[in-house]
Amino acid sequence: MEKLKVITIDGPAGSGKSTVAKMTAAELGWIYVTTGAIYRTLALLLHEAGVNSDAINSHHIERYISFINERYRQESASGKVFIGEREVTQDIQSPIISKLSSVFAQDEYIRDKLLPIQRKIVCDTNGAVVDGRDMGTVIFPSAPLKIFLTASVEERAKRRYKELTLEGEKIEFEKLVKDINERDFRDSNRSTAPLKPAEDAIILDSTYTSQEEITVQILHLAVAKKLILSE
């Protein structure tokens, strides 16, 4: 059987996994897929429909997941996310959608329904770099190269603060630290697919290492795993 050409990059919010995944995919000529965007898109649709996270039922889930299955699209090079012709890349990055997607990601029924959609996006490609929180543990457990990218809470909060400031949003740094700690706790302690490194994942810390340097490390590992011949 041909080796699955997938590199998974998991890690907590703000660790830099999306940027590193994009850079790695570009260097390899593979597609980049951020499967966490699917959860965020579902959260956005439910939020815009006025569906409270406490009032979720199977009817809501079936309807919106069916819609995502039919209309969800992600550009491989840029990572831009679309529902039909509507681009939602920025909409799904708002703080409220981030929080809601984390809540919905704890729901086992939702995760089971979205899993085949996530796999479908990747499996028909000639190679993919995917990022998320359970790519190496649940979605692609047989991936030949699994990375768990982390960074200190303070560094991740600094990065997020810079992003939001550039977008014109005002938020207290201390609140960002609190939000990140709360999300880490939710993601790491949920009963279904908790955030954790796969047993065979290679842990890389981006606190004091640039994204370019992390990318080079991953390319070296891809060569060692014989996914590519050379960088």
Side-chain angles (χ1 to χ4, degrees):
M1 181 182 294
E2 186 177 351
K3 180 184 291 187
L4 181 68
K5 296 183 73 172
V6 174
I7 296 175
T8 63
I9 303 180
D10 290 314
S15 60
K17 59 185 181 294
S18 294
T19 300
V20 168
K22 287 179 186 178
M23 294 170 65
T24 303
E27 289 290 333
L28 293 173
W30 292 5
I31 71 161
Y32 159 67
V33 178
T34 172
T35 53
I38 298 176
Y39 286 98
R40 289 173 177 269
T41 301
L42 175 63
L44 176 69
L45 294 176
L46 291 171
H47 178 64
E48 290 182 341
V51 179
N52 189 289
S53 59
D54 296 329
I56 294 295
N57 57 47
S58 59
H59 172 70
H60 291 133
I61 299 306
E62 291 291 348
R63 176 184 174 188
Y64 288 102
I65 287 181
S66 176
F67 187 71
I68 287 173
N69 189 40
E70 295 173 0
R71 306 295 299 278
Y72 180 91
R73 178 169 59 88
Q74 184 179 329
E75 290 185 349
S76 60
S78 67
K80 290 182 179 179
V81 177
F82 295 82
I83 283 290
E85 296 304 313
R86 175 192 175 189
E87 183 186 346
V88 297
T89 312
Q90 293 302 316
D91 296 335
I92 63 175
Q93 294 300 325
S94 71
I96 182 62
I97 298 304
S98 294
K99 185 173 183 178
L100 284 173
S101 67
S102 178
V103 172
F104 294 144
Q106 299 178 63
D107 189 296
E108 186 172 358
Y109 182 80
I110 291 176
R111 300 193 71 84
D112 286 345
K113 289 293 183 179
L114 289 182
L115 189 147
I117 299 176
Q118 296 175 75
R119 286 180 174 161
K120 182 181 72 173
I121 293 172
V122 170
C123 286
D124 292 335
T125 71
N126 293 320
V129 182
V130 299
D131 75 61
R133 287 177 174 75
D134 61 351
M135 297 301 102
T137 54
V138 176
I139 311 301
F140 298 104
S142 60
L145 177 55
K146 304 172 187 175
I147 304 296
F148 190 87
L149 187 60
T150 188
S152 69
V153 171
E154 291 72 20
E155 178 61 25
R156 289 187 280 139
K158 287 178 185 177
R159 295 170 184 173
R160 186 59 177 152
Y161 182 82
K162 183 178 180 180
E163 289 176 2
L164 292 174
T165 301
L166 288 173
E167 293 170 5
E169 293 191 38
K170 294 183 179 180
I171 188 169
E172 294 182 359
F173 180 78
E174 292 73 17
K175 185 178 186 305
L176 276 178
V177 171
K178 180 175 180 289
D179 288 347
I180 288 173
N181 275 317
E182 288 178 350
R183 178 155 192 173
D184 284 353
F185 182 82
R186 283 197 306 271
D187 290 347
S188 299
N189 290 277
R190 64 194 184 202
S191 59
T192 302
L195 171 66
K196 64 178 181 179
E199 290 185 3
D200 55 345
I202 296 167
I203 300 175
L204 300 178
D205 193 321
S206 70
T207 304
Y208 304 109
T209 307
S210 72
Q211 293 163 335
E212 290 79 9
E213 291 171 318
I214 293 288
T215 300
V216 169
Q217 291 181 43
I218 294 173
L219 293 174
H220 282 311
L221 292 166
V223 172
K225 293 284 187 178
K226 299 182 179 179
L227 283 171
I228 57 175
L229 297 178
S230 63
E231 299 114 278

